[in-house]
Every structure is written in C-alpha cells, then in structure tokens.
Amino acid sequence: MSSKNTSVHPNVHPGAPKIKPEGAHSEIPHPPPEDHHEKPTSKPFPNTGWRGPIPSQEGGSNEADFMSKPPYEWKSEGDLFKPKYYSQCWCGNVAFEFHGDPLDAKHCHCRQCQHLHGAPFQWAVIFPKTSVRMVKNKDNSLHFFSTQRRQGVHDVPCKVSCDQCRSPLFDEGRNTVLAYPSSFKFPDRKVPLDFQPTAHIFYSERVMEVPDGVPKWSGHKGQSELLPELTTQEGTMPKYKGTPEVGQVNSPHSGRTMPEERENKNKE
C-alpha cells in the first residue's frame, strides 16, 4: 500500500466535556473550545494484504483494470483480509465484505444527499478502500454514477449501486469508501457502536431536525459552526415543535421561526 494519504481524520472527541447549549434539549458532547481548530488524531489504515498503491487515488477514470483492485474483486496477499461485515443490494445481485470496523460514521443533511437518496438525510460509515472487497456481481449488475459528470461511468469520486434493483451501496472516494449501513446484514439487526454516527453534517441544509444529542455542524465536521439541534423554525420537520418556552431555540441558520402573531404574543 502506498504511504500517501493512508489515513483519514474522523475528528472524534469521545473524552470531550458535555456542554449544554443554551435552550437545547439535550447535552451534546462538543469539542472543547480550545481545540476547535486543532489538527485531529488520524486513524491508520489496517494492513489487509493489498501491496499496490490505493487505486484511483488521484481521482478520475484513468485507473487501469480497476475492477481487479480495491474496493472490487481483488486478492489479499497472505490472506490478511478478514471479513467482519457483509452488505448487499436489495435484490442480492451485488455484495461486498468489509474488514475491521469503520473509521467514523455520520449523518449528512446536504441537499445533494437528500436528492440522491430520496430521504431527509444520509447515514454513512467510512472504510478504507483496502478494507472493502466485492464478493458478488451477478449478471454484471454493478453500476457507477459520477455526480460531477452526471453520467453512469466510473469516475472517482463516484456512487456505486445495483443496476437491477437500484439500491445504493457506497460512494467510492480517492482513499476511502463511504458505505451505507442500511445495506449491511447485522446479526439480530443490532447496529454496532462503530456504525452509530458521531456527527450530523451540513445541518444548516436540513429539512428535518433530529434531537438525538449528537453534535450538529453547519458544514463539515470540526470545520464549521455547531448548531442547536432543535429550533422553532417553520418549514422543517417534525411538524409539531412546541414553543420556545419548552427549550427550543432559534438557530442562526433558521431564518424566520414563527408567525408574527406568535412573535408579538411572546413579547407581551
């Protein structure tokens, strides 16, 4: 494996003090103020038996024979790849196995994720490319889509799905895979702790507010503003939000939060 860019920076702060933001519903484990811009600790990629450079690390569509390299059909030298998780599309034509645990997990509220997933937000986990391997591609059902080119081609970064049932499986990046846990087969349908998100990102673009106590970032995690998780903003779900008196707050990204009649009433 190439030594270039072989780690990611999930920026998790499990030991950070719990700070209750003014008016928020729950205590949220925020990074302490003094290290908001501190360089986070990186997680090294595990040795899974891939000896070449990370495929498509420079991006684009020029990687030769990419289907025989991670994260697709490839051979692990020394049998170091130890499958721990398994995912497949809805119809079962395409399946992948994963070595070890994800590096991080998140919910993304950006408008592109909403549109492409047909959902209020995305749930995803990050794996190194060399920790992912395709084990089934019946009827050549694997499908690629480039959001940059807006074409069904393998052009990294790109989205990977099944061409038969159209189930999204993961996003292939330059160094990592952003996998969708909804396609994983967990024992007893219990979500492992490492698959549970450490952050909501692009919460400023949300259409649904989620009072789950997980930090809410206006943009990328650790590189943007922390936002209140529940507000009186109109035009976002849930439909019934209560009133500010019960602890909801107005977000700097909320815009107008209540009708003028209610605003005037609250001033009396």
Side-chain angles (χ1 to χ4, degrees):
M1 185 190 305
S2 168
S3 60
K4 180 182 178 181
N5 293 332
T6 55
S7 61
V8 296
H9 309 287
N11 194 35
V12 179
H13 295 265
K18 290 186 175 181
I19 303 171
K20 185 165 183 172
E22 183 180 352
H25 273 239
S26 58
E27 292 185 348
I28 303 176
H30 290 167
E34 61 271 15
D35 74 352
H36 276 187
H37 303 288
E38 184 179 14
K39 184 177 180 180
T41 302
S42 63
K43 289 185 177 182
F45 285 9
N47 181 4
T48 57
W50 175 253
R51 295 297 176 242
I54 297 178
S56 302
Q57 193 174 41
E58 302 302 323
S61 56
N62 296 323
E63 184 71 37
D65 196 26
F66 70 89
M67 285 294 290
S68 298
K69 302 174 181 178
Y72 305 107
E73 295 177 298
W74 60 281
K75 299 292 185 180
S76 168
E77 185 177 306
D79 199 27
L80 295 176
F81 188 106
K82 305 297 181 183
K84 184 173 182 178
Y85 301 106
Y86 178 88
S87 76
Q88 69 176 38
C89 64
W90 187 85
C91 71
N93 275 14
V94 182
F96 288 84
E97 58 188 9
F98 297 77
H99 172 101
D101 293 309
L103 301 169
D104 200 8
K106 55 89 176 178
H107 287 311
C108 181
H109 294 256
C110 79
R111 293 186 181 92
Q112 178 172 284
C113 285
Q114 294 173 29
H115 200 164
L116 288 169
H117 289 265
F121 53 88
Q122 175 206 73
W123 174 27
V125 292
I126 302 172
F127 278 92
K129 269 193 190 181
T130 51
S131 292
V132 183
R133 182 166 62 188
M134 186 168 66
V135 293
K136 188 177 181 182
N137 185 19
K138 182 180 177 181
D139 299 329
N140 196 29
S141 296
L142 192 69
H143 179 74
F144 304 104
F145 180 74
S146 167
T147 55
Q148 293 178 328
R149 293 172 56 176
R150 297 178 181 263
Q151 294 178 338
V153 294
H154 181 260
D155 191 307
V156 176
C158 65
K159 306 189 79 66
V160 179
S161 62
C162 172
D163 202 28
Q164 295 298 314
C165 65
R166 304 294 178 174
S167 298
L169 292 165
F170 61 73
D171 291 0
E172 180 188 351
R174 291 173 173 82
N175 298 288
T176 61
V177 159
L178 202 66
Y180 308 133
S182 299
S183 66
F184 281 63
K185 304 297 181 181
F186 299 128
D188 302 320
R189 298 181 64 86
K190 303 295 185 183
V191 180
L193 186 62
D194 286 320
F195 283 74
Q196 298 178 28
T198 63
H200 292 257
I201 64 173
F202 291 95
Y203 201 62
S204 58
E205 299 181 20
R206 66 194 179 278
V207 295
M208 180 176 186
E209 298 189 329
V210 187
D212 59 357
V214 176
K216 313 293 191 297
W217 299 92
S218 63
H220 282 295
K221 178 180 177 181
Q223 302 173 24
S224 57
E225 180 184 2
L226 283 165
L227 301 179
E229 60 180 9
L230 192 60
T231 73
T232 54
Q233 178 181 357
E234 292 183 345
T236 59
M237 298 179 283
K239 183 175 183 180
Y240 301 105
K241 296 175 178 292
T243 65
E245 285 77 14
V246 298
Q248 296 165 353
V249 297
N250 294 334
S251 163
H253 295 272
S254 293
R256 191 172 182 80
T257 59
M258 65 184 75
E260 184 177 354
E261 299 80 33
R262 282 179 57 189
E263 287 184 350
N264 292 336
K265 183 177 180 180
N266 290 335
K267 291 177 182 178
E268 294 177 355

